[in-house]
Amino acid sequence: MNLDGKVAVVTGGSRGIGRAICIRLASMGALVYINYVSRPAAAEETQKFIHEAGGKAEIIGFDVAESSDVQAAFKKIIADAGSVDILVNNAGITRDGLMARMKESDWEEVINTNLKGSFLCAKAASRMMMKKKWGRIVNISSVSGVAGNPGQVNYSAAKAGLIGLTKSMAREYASRNITVNSVAPGYIETEMTDLLDEKSQEQIKSEIPLATFGRTEDVAGAVAYLVSDDGRYITGQTLNVNGGMYM
């Protein structure tokens, strides 16, 4: 799978799943733009990993939930790199809590970043893709978006919304040779799962047929497949990477 000459933008690319995706796409030859919003040091570390492996990466900070920031960022990327061929909408936040007690602000922050942000970035990136009549967009959803999760009505709604966004965009852009898919990870070994105590981890693993958490590289591999020529005939789909937790 080769991405030589392609320009990829990965939102929330500084750490966790986003970092693994950046590293994987760069290893395939793409020039990767690593987006971050609040942790420049983490983005620099991701860039360092890529450069040390012989890959190409740039850092670009912007808030995906702010329309003016998104438009300015993609304008700069196109001016500097000449194109945007691949977009991975990975940026996301959580503000967990039971619905009965959830603040309206917690609902809005999660929807704005996780769903609206993906819409804004896809809209900006697709303009260049339509001109070139080639593009790959992957939205990172979640098992919470396909199965629901108590205490995450805002997160689950946003991630479910991404699946609907994916299907509609896939239909709209297919005639321009732009594929749009989503990847829905289950429990992946990240900073978030590290916060769970041992008892909670074992309980969750007991509900996963493969009986283990996934690795960030598992998600990155799914994304790599969808944006490569091997995935050229796949669009409007959600690839579940969850060890069988949801079937």
Side-chain angles (χ1 to χ4, degrees):
M1 296 189 292
N2 190 295
L3 295 177
D4 287 346
K6 302 299 185 185
V7 179
V9 179
V10 181
T11 68
S14 63
R15 56 199 176 96
I17 291 173
R19 171 177 288 182
I21 294 170
C22 288
I23 291 172
R24 181 62 181 271
L25 298 187
S27 75
M28 296 165 66
L31 165 59
V32 178
Y33 276 81
I34 306 162
N35 160 256
Y36 75 95
V37 68
S38 63
R39 298 189 182 184
E44 290 168 4
E45 189 174 33
T46 302
Q47 183 186 44
K48 181 181 177 181
F49 290 147
I50 291 172
H51 285 173
E52 288 177 345
K56 298 171 290 185
E58 299 291 343
I59 297 171
I60 187 158
F62 64 92
D63 185 349
V64 299
E66 294 295 333
S67 180
S68 58
D69 289 2
V70 170
Q71 291 178 38
F74 278 87
K75 184 177 180 179
K76 175 174 173 53
I77 292 168
I78 292 169
D80 292 348
S83 181
V84 174
D85 304 293
I86 298 164
L87 169 66
V88 182
N89 282 313
N90 171 73
I93 62 172
T94 57
R95 297 288 185 271
D96 294 350
L98 295 175
M99 182 172 177
R101 301 172 185 170
M102 183 173 288
K103 298 177 183 176
E104 189 173 340
S105 60
D106 289 339
W107 168 270
E108 291 175 346
E109 285 182 35
V110 171
I111 295 296
N112 285 343
T113 296
N114 299 14
L115 183 55
K116 177 187 173 184
S118 295
F119 160 75
L120 292 174
C121 290
K123 185 177 181 180
S126 64
R127 293 192 181 102
M128 173 57 68
M129 294 177 182
M130 285 191 290
K131 288 180 181 179
K132 296 185 69 173
K133 293 187 177 180
W134 195 97
R136 300 286 185 266
I137 298 173
V138 179
N139 299 315
I140 304 300
S141 183
S142 168
V143 65
S144 296
V146 293
N149 197 29
Q152 287 193 316
V153 292
N154 47 5
Y155 186 79
S156 296
K159 293 299 187 178
L162 279 178
I163 295 173
L165 177 69
T166 295
K167 292 179 179 181
S168 293
M169 286 179 58
R171 291 185 180 276
E172 290 187 12
Y173 289 128
S175 64
R176 299 299 183 96
N177 196 30
I178 300 169
T179 67
V180 188
N181 293 286
S182 64
V183 173
Y187 281 87
I188 306 297
E189 292 176 350
T190 61
E191 293 176 7
M192 197 174 297
T193 54
D194 288 343
L195 295 175
L196 297 169
D197 59 45
E198 186 175 347
K199 183 178 179 181
S200 297
Q201 290 192 27
E202 291 306 313
Q203 172 60 37
I204 293 168
K205 289 177 182 178
S206 72
E207 299 172 6
I208 302 172
L210 288 182
T212 187
F213 291 157
R215 299 190 299 267
T216 56
E217 291 80 7
D218 297 324
V219 182
V223 172
Y225 170 67
L226 290 171
V227 304
S228 74
D229 284 342
D230 288 342
R232 70 172 193 88
Y233 200 56
I234 300 172
T235 195
Q237 305 303 309
T238 298
L239 181 53
N240 293 293
V241 184
N242 59 30
M245 189 175 187
Y246 174 83
M247 300 185 187

